[in-house]
PDB file of all heavy atoms in Angstrom:
ATOM      1  N   ALA A 488      -4.521   8.320   7.829  1.00 96.00           N
ATOM      2  CA  ALA A 488      -4.764   8.721   9.178  1.00 96.00           C
ATOM      3  C   ALA A 488      -5.733   7.803   9.965  1.00 96.00           C
ATOM      4  O   ALA A 488      -5.349   7.411  11.082  1.00 96.00           O
ATOM      5  CB  ALA A 488      -5.415  10.078   9.268  1.00 96.00           C
ATOM      6  N   ALA A 489      -6.778   7.315   9.221  1.00 97.00           N
ATOM      7  CA  ALA A 489      -7.764   6.458   9.884  1.00 97.00           C
ATOM      8  C   ALA A 489      -7.042   5.117  10.287  1.00 97.00           C
ATOM      9  O   ALA A 489      -7.281   4.566  11.404  1.00 97.00           O
ATOM     10  CB  ALA A 489      -8.812   6.072   9.033  1.00 97.00           C
ATOM     11  N   VAL A 490      -6.111   4.560   9.522  1.00 98.00           N
ATOM     12  CA  VAL A 490      -5.477   3.315   9.810  1.00 98.00           C
ATOM     13  C   VAL A 490      -4.664   3.401  11.110  1.00 98.00           C
ATOM     14  O   VAL A 490      -4.483   2.411  11.852  1.00 98.00           O
ATOM     15  CB  VAL A 490      -4.507   2.786   8.644  1.00 98.00           C
ATOM     16  CG1 VAL A 490      -3.292   3.652   8.476  1.00 98.00           C
ATOM     17  CG2 VAL A 490      -4.245   1.331   8.778  1.00 98.00           C
ATOM     18  N   CYS A 491      -4.284   4.558  11.497  1.00 97.00           N
ATOM     19  CA  CYS A 491      -3.386   4.863  12.650  1.00 97.00           C
ATOM     20  C   CYS A 491      -4.321   4.719  13.952  1.00 97.00           C
ATOM     21  O   CYS A 491      -3.786   4.062  14.874  1.00 97.00           O
ATOM     22  CB  CYS A 491      -2.801   6.262  12.733  1.00 97.00           C
ATOM     23  SG  CYS A 491      -1.579   6.539  11.363  1.00 97.00           S
ATOM     24  N   PHE A 492      -5.535   5.037  13.873  1.00 94.00           N
ATOM     25  CA  PHE A 492      -6.415   4.745  14.901  1.00 94.00           C
ATOM     26  C   PHE A 492      -6.676   3.408  15.061  1.00 94.00           C
ATOM     27  O   PHE A 492      -6.640   2.726  16.116  1.00 94.00           O
ATOM     28  CB  PHE A 492      -7.847   5.561  14.713  1.00 94.00           C
ATOM     29  CG  PHE A 492      -7.873   6.833  15.143  1.00 94.00           C
ATOM     30  CD1 PHE A 492      -7.349   7.903  14.479  1.00 94.00           C
ATOM     31  CD2 PHE A 492      -8.424   7.120  16.348  1.00 94.00           C
ATOM     32  CE1 PHE A 492      -7.545   9.341  14.881  1.00 94.00           C
ATOM     33  CE2 PHE A 492      -8.498   8.441  16.930  1.00 94.00           C
ATOM     34  CZ  PHE A 492      -8.060   9.537  16.071  1.00 94.00           C
ATOM     35  N   ALA A 493      -6.841   2.497  14.037  1.00 96.00           N
ATOM     36  CA  ALA A 493      -6.988   1.054  14.144  1.00 96.00           C
ATOM     37  C   ALA A 493      -5.794   0.424  14.818  1.00 96.00           C
ATOM     38  O   ALA A 493      -5.930  -0.438  15.629  1.00 96.00           O
ATOM     39  CB  ALA A 493      -7.374   0.525  12.763  1.00 96.00           C
ATOM     40  N   ALA A 494      -4.598   0.872  14.366  1.00 97.00           N
ATOM     41  CA  ALA A 494      -3.368   0.386  14.931  1.00 97.00           C
ATOM     42  C   ALA A 494      -3.270   0.638  16.417  1.00 97.00           C
ATOM     43  O   ALA A 494      -2.927  -0.297  17.260  1.00 97.00           O
ATOM     44  CB  ALA A 494      -2.168   0.918  14.097  1.00 97.00           C
ATOM     45  N   GLY A 495      -3.701   1.863  16.790  1.00 96.00           N
ATOM     46  CA  GLY A 495      -3.668   2.110  18.216  1.00 96.00           C
ATOM     47  C   GLY A 495      -4.643   1.208  19.035  1.00 96.00           C
ATOM     48  O   GLY A 495      -4.385   0.759  20.103  1.00 96.00           O
ATOM     49  N   ALA A 496      -5.759   0.961  18.351  1.00 95.00           N
ATOM     50  CA  ALA A 496      -6.883   0.260  19.098  1.00 95.00           C
ATOM     51  C   ALA A 496      -6.315  -1.277  19.183  1.00 95.00           C
ATOM     52  O   ALA A 496      -6.434  -1.918  20.260  1.00 95.00           O
ATOM     53  CB  ALA A 496      -8.032   0.165  18.284  1.00 95.00           C
ATOM     54  N   ILE A 497      -5.636  -1.783  18.191  1.00 97.00           N
ATOM     55  CA  ILE A 497      -5.132  -3.113  18.206  1.00 97.00           C
ATOM     56  C   ILE A 497      -3.879  -3.153  19.332  1.00 97.00           C
ATOM     57  O   ILE A 497      -3.929  -4.142  20.115  1.00 97.00           O
ATOM     58  CB  ILE A 497      -4.436  -3.540  16.935  1.00 97.00           C
ATOM     59  CG1 ILE A 497      -5.498  -3.770  15.838  1.00 97.00           C
ATOM     60  CG2 ILE A 497      -3.587  -4.827  17.092  1.00 97.00           C
ATOM     61  CD1 ILE A 497      -4.999  -4.016  14.463  1.00 97.00           C
ATOM     62  N   ALA A 498      -3.208  -2.118  19.403  1.00 96.00           N
ATOM     63  CA  ALA A 498      -2.202  -2.101  20.469  1.00 96.00           C
ATOM     64  C   ALA A 498      -2.793  -2.204  21.881  1.00 96.00           C
ATOM     65  O   ALA A 498      -2.279  -2.695  22.934  1.00 96.00           O
ATOM     66  CB  ALA A 498      -1.290  -0.754  20.318  1.00 96.00           C
ATOM     67  N   MET A 499      -3.891  -1.410  22.093  1.00 94.00           N
ATOM     68  CA  MET A 499      -4.654  -1.458  23.370  1.00 94.00           C
ATOM     69  C   MET A 499      -5.064  -2.897  23.740  1.00 94.00           C
ATOM     70  O   MET A 499      -5.060  -3.311  24.893  1.00 94.00           O
ATOM     71  CB  MET A 499      -5.870  -0.559  23.409  1.00 94.00           C
ATOM     72  CG  MET A 499      -5.521   0.902  23.237  1.00 94.00           C
ATOM     73  SD  MET A 499      -6.969   1.914  23.081  1.00 94.00           S
ATOM     74  CE  MET A 499      -6.319   3.565  22.862  1.00 94.00           C
ATOM     75  N   VAL A 500      -5.547  -3.637  22.723  1.00 94.00           N
ATOM     76  CA  VAL A 500      -5.982  -5.047  22.912  1.00 94.00           C
ATOM     77  C   VAL A 500      -4.809  -5.802  23.445  1.00 94.00           C
ATOM     78  O   VAL A 500      -4.817  -6.686  24.217  1.00 94.00           O
ATOM     79  CB  VAL A 500      -6.711  -5.561  21.842  1.00 94.00           C
ATOM     80  CG1 VAL A 500      -7.033  -7.085  21.996  1.00 94.00           C
ATOM     81  CG2 VAL A 500      -8.004  -4.787  21.461  1.00 94.00           C
ATOM     82  N   MET A 501      -3.750  -5.584  22.603  1.00 96.00           N
ATOM     83  CA  MET A 501      -2.530  -6.399  23.052  1.00 96.00           C
ATOM     84  C   MET A 501      -2.053  -6.143  24.396  1.00 96.00           C
ATOM     85  O   MET A 501      -1.633  -7.072  25.110  1.00 96.00           O
ATOM     86  CB  MET A 501      -1.419  -6.005  21.983  1.00 96.00           C
ATOM     87  CG  MET A 501      -1.741  -6.506  20.549  1.00 96.00           C
ATOM     88  SD  MET A 501      -0.309  -5.839  19.394  1.00 96.00           S
ATOM     89  CE  MET A 501      -0.405  -7.052  18.117  1.00 96.00           C
ATOM     90  N   GLU A 502      -2.046  -4.774  24.845  1.00 94.00           N
ATOM     91  CA  GLU A 502      -1.665  -4.466  26.211  1.00 94.00           C
ATOM     92  C   GLU A 502      -2.665  -5.187  27.157  1.00 94.00           C
ATOM     93  O   GLU A 502      -2.152  -5.746  28.215  1.00 94.00           O
ATOM     94  CB  GLU A 502      -1.704  -3.044  26.362  1.00 94.00           C
ATOM     95  CG  GLU A 502      -1.242  -2.606  27.768  1.00 94.00           C
ATOM     96  CD  GLU A 502      -1.263  -1.157  28.000  1.00 94.00           C
ATOM     97  OE1 GLU A 502      -1.705  -0.414  27.004  1.00 94.00           O
ATOM     98  OE2 GLU A 502      -0.905  -0.617  29.089  1.00 94.00           O
ATOM     99  N   TRP A 503      -3.932  -5.257  26.914  1.00 92.00           N
ATOM    100  CA  TRP A 503      -4.877  -5.818  27.710  1.00 92.00           C
ATOM    101  C   TRP A 503      -4.558  -7.357  27.898  1.00 92.00           C
ATOM    102  O   TRP A 503      -4.622  -7.886  29.034  1.00 92.00           O
ATOM    103  CB  TRP A 503      -6.343  -5.642  27.163  1.00 92.00           C
ATOM    104  CG  TRP A 503      -7.294  -6.523  27.834  1.00 92.00           C
ATOM    105  CD1 TRP A 503      -7.976  -6.269  29.069  1.00 92.00           C
ATOM    106  CD2 TRP A 503      -7.894  -7.754  27.444  1.00 92.00           C
ATOM    107  NE1 TRP A 503      -8.863  -7.322  29.391  1.00 92.00           N
ATOM    108  CE2 TRP A 503      -8.792  -8.253  28.342  1.00 92.00           C
ATOM    109  CE3 TRP A 503      -7.669  -8.521  26.254  1.00 92.00           C
ATOM    110  CZ2 TRP A 503      -9.651  -9.411  28.270  1.00 92.00           C
ATOM    111  CZ3 TRP A 503      -8.339  -9.714  26.036  1.00 92.00           C
ATOM    112  CH2 TRP A 503      -9.262 -10.055  27.044  1.00 92.00           C
ATOM    113  N   VAL A 504      -4.222  -8.018  26.789  1.00 92.00           N
ATOM    114  CA  VAL A 504      -3.759  -9.406  26.918  1.00 92.00           C
ATOM    115  C   VAL A 504      -2.622  -9.647  27.847  1.00 92.00           C
ATOM    116  O   VAL A 504      -2.695 -10.670  28.622  1.00 92.00           O
ATOM    117  CB  VAL A 504      -3.383  -9.904  25.498  1.00 92.00           C
ATOM    118  CG1 VAL A 504      -2.828 -11.341  25.464  1.00 92.00           C
ATOM    119  CG2 VAL A 504      -4.725  -9.998  24.526  1.00 92.00           C
ATOM    120  N   ILE A 505      -1.667  -8.782  27.800  1.00 92.00           N
ATOM    121  CA  ILE A 505      -0.501  -8.994  28.603  1.00 92.00           C
ATOM    122  C   ILE A 505      -0.822  -8.703  30.051  1.00 92.00           C
ATOM    123  O   ILE A 505      -0.449  -9.467  30.971  1.00 92.00           O
ATOM    124  CB  ILE A 505       0.649  -7.905  28.195  1.00 92.00           C
ATOM    125  CG1 ILE A 505       1.178  -8.269  26.718  1.00 92.00           C
ATOM    126  CG2 ILE A 505       1.823  -7.873  29.221  1.00 92.00           C
ATOM    127  CD1 ILE A 505       2.104  -7.259  26.299  1.00 92.00           C
ATOM    128  N   ARG A 506      -1.560  -7.656  30.377  1.00 89.00           N
ATOM    129  CA  ARG A 506      -1.749  -7.267  31.709  1.00 89.00           C
ATOM    130  C   ARG A 506      -2.805  -8.206  32.461  1.00 89.00           C
ATOM    131  O   ARG A 506      -2.795  -8.314  33.583  1.00 89.00           O
ATOM    132  CB  ARG A 506      -2.458  -5.870  31.792  1.00 89.00           C
ATOM    133  CG  ARG A 506      -1.315  -4.754  31.484  1.00 89.00           C
ATOM    134  CD  ARG A 506      -1.898  -3.458  31.184  1.00 89.00           C
ATOM    135  NE  ARG A 506      -2.710  -2.924  32.362  1.00 89.00           N
ATOM    136  CZ  ARG A 506      -3.295  -1.764  32.401  1.00 89.00           C
ATOM    137  NH1 ARG A 506      -3.048  -0.912  31.383  1.00 89.00           N
ATOM    138  NH2 ARG A 506      -3.947  -1.322  33.515  1.00 89.00           N
ATOM    139  N   THR A 507      -3.609  -8.940  31.684  1.00 88.00           N
ATOM    140  CA  THR A 507      -4.643  -9.846  32.275  1.00 88.00           C
ATOM    141  C   THR A 507      -4.154 -11.243  32.237  1.00 88.00           C
ATOM    142  O   THR A 507      -4.987 -12.221  32.564  1.00 88.00           O
ATOM    143  CB  THR A 507      -6.004  -9.637  31.599  1.00 88.00           C
ATOM    144  OG1 THR A 507      -5.855  -9.841  30.222  1.00 88.00           O
ATOM    145  CG2 THR A 507      -6.537  -8.246  31.829  1.00 88.00           C
ATOM    146  N   ASN A 508      -2.885 -11.522  31.638  1.00 86.00           N
ATOM    147  CA  ASN A 508      -2.407 -12.871  31.501  1.00 86.00           C
ATOM    148  C   ASN A 508      -3.226 -13.721  30.685  1.00 86.00           C
ATOM    149  O   ASN A 508      -3.355 -14.960  30.925  1.00 86.00           O
ATOM    150  CB  ASN A 508      -2.187 -13.526  32.786  1.00 86.00           C
ATOM    151  CG  ASN A 508      -1.145 -12.686  33.686  1.00 86.00           C
ATOM    152  OD1 ASN A 508       0.003 -12.425  33.032  1.00 86.00           O
ATOM    153  ND2 ASN A 508      -1.272 -12.488  34.907  1.00 86.00           N
ATOM    154  N   ASN A 509      -3.939 -13.173  29.736  1.00 83.00           N
ATOM    155  CA  ASN A 509      -4.770 -14.014  28.735  1.00 83.00           C
ATOM    156  C   ASN A 509      -3.940 -14.606  27.688  1.00 83.00           C
ATOM    157  O   ASN A 509      -2.702 -14.221  27.515  1.00 83.00           O
ATOM    158  CB  ASN A 509      -5.943 -13.070  28.061  1.00 83.00           C
ATOM    159  CG  ASN A 509      -7.043 -12.866  28.780  1.00 83.00           C
ATOM    160  OD1 ASN A 509      -7.977 -13.862  28.788  1.00 83.00           O
ATOM    161  ND2 ASN A 509      -7.197 -11.825  29.612  1.00 83.00           N
ATOM    162  N   ALA A 510      -4.439 -15.688  27.194  1.00 83.00           N
ATOM    163  CA  ALA A 510      -3.703 -16.288  26.073  1.00 83.00           C
ATOM    164  C   ALA A 510      -3.603 -15.403  24.861  1.00 83.00           C
ATOM    165  O   ALA A 510      -4.279 -14.615  24.523  1.00 83.00           O
ATOM    166  CB  ALA A 510      -4.530 -17.558  25.580  1.00 83.00           C
ATOM    167  N   ALA A 511      -2.361 -15.494  24.335  1.00 87.00           N
ATOM    168  CA  ALA A 511      -1.971 -14.562  23.204  1.00 87.00           C
ATOM    169  C   ALA A 511      -2.948 -14.796  21.989  1.00 87.00           C
ATOM    170  O   ALA A 511      -3.473 -15.886  21.806  1.00 87.00           O
ATOM    171  CB  ALA A 511      -0.564 -14.836  22.716  1.00 87.00           C
ATOM    172  N   LEU A 512      -3.232 -13.747  21.324  1.00 91.00           N
ATOM    173  CA  LEU A 512      -4.016 -13.741  20.179  1.00 91.00           C
ATOM    174  C   LEU A 512      -3.337 -13.612  18.821  1.00 91.00           C
ATOM    175  O   LEU A 512      -2.210 -12.826  18.783  1.00 91.00           O
ATOM    176  CB  LEU A 512      -5.062 -12.613  20.267  1.00 91.00           C
ATOM    177  CG  LEU A 512      -5.955 -12.499  21.613  1.00 91.00           C
ATOM    178  CD1 LEU A 512      -6.835 -11.230  21.585  1.00 91.00           C
ATOM    179  CD2 LEU A 512      -6.845 -13.809  21.709  1.00 91.00           C
ATOM    180  N   ASN A 513      -3.974 -14.195  17.850  1.00 93.00           N
ATOM    181  CA  ASN A 513      -3.301 -13.978  16.394  1.00 93.00           C
ATOM    182  C   ASN A 513      -3.958 -12.828  15.775  1.00 93.00           C
ATOM    183  O   ASN A 513      -4.965 -12.136  16.424  1.00 93.00           O
ATOM    184  CB  ASN A 513      -3.368 -15.149  15.558  1.00 93.00           C
ATOM    185  CG  ASN A 513      -4.674 -15.545  15.301  1.00 93.00           C
ATOM    186  OD1 ASN A 513      -5.641 -14.709  15.271  1.00 93.00           O
ATOM    187  ND2 ASN A 513      -4.903 -16.871  14.917  1.00 93.00           N
TER     188      ASN A 513
END
Side-chain angles (χ1 to χ4, degrees):
V490 71
C491 300
F492 270 83
I497 292 172
M499 292 177 184
V500 178
M501 289 175 160
E502 183 182 3
W503 169 79
V504 168
I505 294 173
R506 289 170 56 176
T507 56
N508 294 316
N509 273 277
L512 304 176
N513 65 27

